[in-house]
């Protein structure tokens, strides 16, 4: 089973985490199953960017991004070449290092501002 290292995130994972993941699961599901409560405002339907992550190692082992995902990522805060929507990124057999960005574009979580 691949190992996923989640880098520390002030709110969601202050100490970071190292988990084993079953190949074929999305990064979002792996996080949620391991008590890393990443936002997923669209209920994992590839309709928002609240589950945006940066895959620092192992990026090329993930499933290929769809055109819809790539279009949405253009709207994500802190977009980088290694950005993925965690609800769409399917884990393969390679270890990963994942960073959760400091911010998301989600008006509901920011009090409607």
């Amino acid at each position: 089973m691949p190992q996923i290292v989640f880098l520390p995130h002030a709110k969601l994972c202050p100490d970071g985490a190292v988990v084993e993941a079953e190949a074929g699961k999305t990064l979002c599901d792996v996080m949620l199953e391991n008590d890393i409560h990443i936002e997923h405002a669209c209920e994992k339907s590839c309709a928002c960017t609240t589950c945006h992550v940066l895959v620092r190692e192992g990026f090329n082992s993930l499933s290929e991004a769809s055109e819809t995902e790539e279009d949405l990522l253009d709207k994500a805060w802190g977009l980088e070449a290694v950005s993925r929507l965690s609800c769409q990124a399917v884990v393969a057999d390679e270890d990963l290092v994942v960073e959760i960005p400091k911010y998301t574009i989600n008006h509901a979580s920011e009090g409607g501002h």
Side-chain angles (χ1 to χ4, degrees), residues 60-91:
N60 290 328
S61 71
L62 297 171
S63 61
E64 190 172 328
S66 68
E67 188 174 325
T68 301
E69 179 184 357
E70 289 178 356
D71 288 346
L72 282 168
L73 281 169
D74 287 340
K75 301 172 187 173
W77 184 90
L79 179 67
E80 293 185 21
V82 293
S83 289
R84 288 298 303 266
L85 297 181
S86 66
C87 71
Q88 300 301 301
V90 177
V91 176

Side-chain angles (χ1 to χ4, degrees), residues 36-47:
I36 302 172
H37 300 287
I38 191 161
E39 291 185 68
H40 51 289
C42 70
E43 296 298 320
K44 304 183 273 186
S45 66
C46 195

